[in-house]
Each structure stands twice: as C-alpha cells, then as structure tokens.
Amino acid sequence: MTTLSDQIAADAIKPQSFSADGISVGNRSLADQIAADKYGRANAAAALPAKALRTMFMKIVPPGAQ
C-alpha cells in the first residue's frame, strides 16, 4: 500500500489531465494533494500527545555548560 506522500511523488510526473477518444481523466492539483498530506500528518501528530509531552520535559543545556 502506498502512502499519500508516495502518491504525490508519483502524480508529480504524470500529466494533470488526459483525454482520449472523448474520455477525459483528471487528477487533483499537487497543491491540494500536498495540503491533504500536511493535514493528515498534523492529525496523526495530534493523536499522540506523548510526543508533545516529550518535548515539554526535555532538558536544555546551553553550549559550554557542564
């Protein structure tokens, strides 16, 4: 099964629309596909609050400090 990112990469090399023998076929624009990919990744990240907590409790050490 291909991911949405793989599908976007594959669609980037294909024409956006094609017609032959009176039949037309079109794809969504790459901008729409990229926006859908970002939306899906944001929802997946929001579903895992533990990752957000991990960044909140990191210890930050300034350079040169021991």
Side-chain angles (χ1 to χ4, degrees), residues 45-59:
L48 300 171
K51 286 189 177 182
L53 291 175
R54 185 180 320 149
T55 59
M56 288 175 38
F57 295 111
M58 286 180 17
K59 182 179 180 183

Side-chain angles (χ1 to χ4, degrees), residues 17-26:
S17 62
F18 179 79
S19 63
D21 297 330
I23 299 174
S24 295
V25 178

Side-chain angles (χ1 to χ4, degrees), residues 8-62:
I8 291 170
D11 286 345
I13 59 174
K14 295 178 185 176
Q16 186 173 0
S17 62
F18 179 79
S19 63
D21 297 330
I23 299 174
S24 295
V25 178
N27 290 332
R28 295 197 183 271
S29 70
L30 287 176
D32 290 343
Q33 292 180 11
I34 291 170
D37 186 41
K38 286 181 182 178
Y39 177 77
R41 289 176 187 260
N43 281 344
L48 300 171
K51 286 189 177 182
L53 291 175
R54 185 180 320 149
T55 59
M56 288 175 38
F57 295 111
M58 286 180 17
K59 182 179 180 183
I60 299 173
V61 179

